[in-house]
Amino acid sequence: MPRTNAYTSGNQKRRLRVSIRELARHLNVSIGTVSRALNGRSDVSEETRQRVLAAADALGYSPNQSGRSLRQGVTGMVALILPTSGKTALADTIFMSVLEGLRAFLDDRKLDLMVLLSGPEENAYAYLRRVAARRLADGLIIAETQRLDPRIDYLLEKDIPFVAFGRSRSGSGYPWIDLDFEGVAEAAVAHLAGLGHRRIAVATAASDINYSFVFADAFEAAMRGFGLPFDPALVLRVENSDDGGYAFGNLIFAMPEPPTAVVLVNEFMAIGLYRSLKERGLTPGRDLSIVGFQEEPNSRLLAPPVTCFRTALPDLGARLGEALLATIPAHAPPETAGTIIQELWPMEFAQGQSDGPPRS
């Protein structure tokens, strides 16, 4: 019987799992360079990182057989990988309430939750691979899902149990839970149109996070659906923060014909937008109608209170746990084992005082 060659031809993967030493030799770089690239270290150029990751995938490199270890479900741990940007305080985001619901759900099932923070200087894909390689958890929850997200493709390829907090165009047939951004956009436009507004702007995120695109598309569909003129110039991409809200205010008031109402995709934007209005001697709800997104503690302190949406965030965390456990044979309840849960989480309109009819 002929001996199998170590490498297959063309773009096919290697039949036998390569070691990190063989991967380094194939790339003609040091083992340290390969290790730093795979671990997402900042002292490796992006070009080198991508070259190493591509070769690792092509040659079938899988450190410590991480996928197999995760599938066996032996740690009793679930890990949530949460990217951080430094723009907002973690304790003030919706994640804290979601995490508490998730933690309580897992605790009832004698499982533990770890939260792993991926910093802005790190490559999210490389960080995920490093976490998977260390076999820290039986399943993963990924957040800040991108429009095209290589993490999803990697987890599907390696058959690692996971759930995404947010949809993506990458992959298919994987579990996800996402906020109902389409429902929020439609309800916000319907409310403002009912008050008589026709020129409405939207502030969405200036990043590749998928919900910013989902929300912008849903806003356009809602405007057209209610027979309102849609102006692409009124879809503004700004930072997901109070600074972004302030910049948004400056942008709309610099327009020859400013909008009479706005919809925000992030709760923190309202803080900066209020500041922008105050500097101009304008009042929210009277001079500009504002519909925010998720109700959160800081926005409740604004005067007047922001008209926005609310939802049961701890229950959302528990549902993320249910969706994840359904994919882990060692932990899945019989009634949900093997089920792929994909769900839009409902948001309820909460009347505040930052909206009103347009000024004549």
Side-chain angles (χ1 to χ4, degrees), residues 13-273:
K13 290 185 177 180
R14 191 182 175 189
R15 298 182 185 280
L16 301 176
R17 187 169 66 91
V18 301
S19 68
I20 193 170
R21 184 181 300 276
E22 292 171 303
L23 183 58
R25 186 183 304 120
H26 172 76
L27 292 166
N28 195 28
V29 298
S30 69
I31 294 174
T33 296
V34 172
S35 176
R36 291 194 298 274
L38 292 172
N39 289 328
R41 293 279 296 275
S42 59
D43 55 348
V44 177
S45 72
E46 186 61 22
E47 180 182 354
T48 299
R49 188 193 324 280
Q50 293 303 324
R51 183 167 164 247
V52 170
L53 293 176
D57 281 341
L59 300 178
Y61 175 74
S62 180
N64 299 325
Q65 294 182 310
S66 58
R68 177 181 299 176
S69 178
L70 280 171
R71 288 196 301 276
Q72 289 174 344
V74 295
T75 68
M77 301 286 293
V78 165
L80 184 147
I81 301 177
L82 180 60
T84 59
S85 68
K87 300 297 183 182
T88 58
L90 180 64
D92 289 336
T93 70
I94 65 172
F95 275 103
M96 296 310 295
S97 294
V98 172
L99 283 177
E100 177 52 29
L102 174 61
R103 184 209 59 78
F105 172 84
L106 294 172
D107 184 62
D108 287 344
R109 289 148 184 83
K110 309 303 180 186
L111 298 171
D112 293 311
L113 171 68
M114 70 173 78
V115 179
L116 304 174
L117 303 181
S118 171
E121 75 285 352
E122 297 178 277
N123 178 278
Y125 177 46
Y127 184 82
L128 174 77
R129 290 176 62 107
R130 183 166 84 241
V131 169
R134 290 176 175 173
R135 300 173 293 173
L136 298 173
D138 302 335
L140 303 174
I141 302 172
I142 60 172
E144 298 288 310
T145 312
Q146 303 297 293
R147 189 171 178 81
L148 296 175
D149 200 320
R151 298 176 301 170
I152 291 174
D153 295 323
Y154 177 80
L155 292 168
L156 288 170
E157 178 187 354
K158 301 301 182 183
D159 198 21
I160 296 173
F162 78 100
V163 61
F165 185 12
R167 293 158 282 170
S168 171
R169 289 189 172 185
S170 293
S172 63
Y174 62 90
W176 54 261
I177 309 292
D178 201 3
L179 297 175
D180 186 9
F181 292 97
E182 294 94 335
V184 167
E186 182 176 5
V189 171
H191 177 70
L192 293 170
L195 292 172
H197 293 278
R198 292 182 56 80
R199 187 165 173 80
I200 305 171
V202 63
T204 190
S207 69
D208 286 332
I209 193 166
N210 192 47
Y211 72 70
S212 68
F213 298 95
V214 170
F215 196 71
D217 291 344
F219 172 78
E220 178 181 354
M223 291 289 287
R224 297 189 188 280
F226 286 100
L228 298 176
F230 173 72
D231 183 354
L234 293 179
V235 178
L236 300 172
R237 295 168 62 82
V238 296
E239 194 176 87
N240 252 354
S241 65
D242 51 354
D243 285 341
Y246 182 77
F248 176 69
N250 292 341
L251 288 171
I252 62 173
F253 290 120
M255 294 179 176
E257 184 185 357
T260 61
V262 300
V263 184
L264 310 177
V265 75
N266 176 276
E267 55 273 16
F268 291 101
M269 291 179 180
I271 300 172
L273 181 55

